[in-house]
Amino acid sequence: EIVFSKELLESVKLILQKSKDLKPSQYYEKFVNENDEIIAREKGRLGFENDNKDENKKTKQDTAFEAKLKKMMKNQYYMMFQK
């Protein structure tokens, strides 16, 4: 089981709070673009340093880390904006 750090969770919550008009997939893109250092640290902490897409292959399949991060962000989104 992957347990994300408090730093990463707080960063995700900040992105969600700052931009309330985006869809979950847009939050993910924005987060990844703005937080590459935090993501790299988290990958290292969790042992996913080598969990990268093969740049030579044009694959749309997420890595294990990306899949978990997307799921966590989607859950945070629905917990924050559920009405």
Side-chain angles (χ1 to χ4, degrees), residues 20-35:
K20 296 183 178 177
D21 318 354
L22 302 177
K23 297 186 295 187
S25 59
Q26 293 171 313
Y27 282 112
Y28 177 79
E29 292 299 323
K30 183 175 176 69
F31 181 78
V32 169
N33 291 335
E34 294 179 9
N35 294 281

Side-chain angles (χ1 to χ4, degrees), residues 11 20 24 33 36-37 39 44 56 67 69 80:
S11 299
K20 296 183 178 177
N33 291 335
D36 54 337
E37 287 180 24
I39 291 170
N56 298 326
L69 182 60
M80 191 170 285

Side-chain angles (χ1 to χ4, degrees), residues 4 8 28 39 65-73:
F4 289 111
L8 186 83
Y28 177 79
I39 291 170
F65 182 85
E66 289 172 333
K68 294 289 185 185
L69 182 60
K70 282 182 180 181
K71 183 175 181 180
M72 181 272 290
M73 289 188 73

Side-chain angles (χ1 to χ4, degrees), residues 31-61:
F31 181 78
V32 169
N33 291 335
E34 294 179 9
N35 294 281
D36 54 337
E37 287 180 24
I38 293 172
I39 291 170
R41 271 197 306 274
E42 195 72 5
K43 279 183 166 184
R45 187 182 73 79
L46 294 169
F48 283 97
E49 302 94 342
N50 300 320
D51 190 38
N52 297 314
K53 288 184 180 177
D54 185 346
E55 297 299 329
N56 298 326
K57 293 181 181 175
K58 299 203 182 233
T59 178
K60 294 198 180 224
Q61 179 129 9

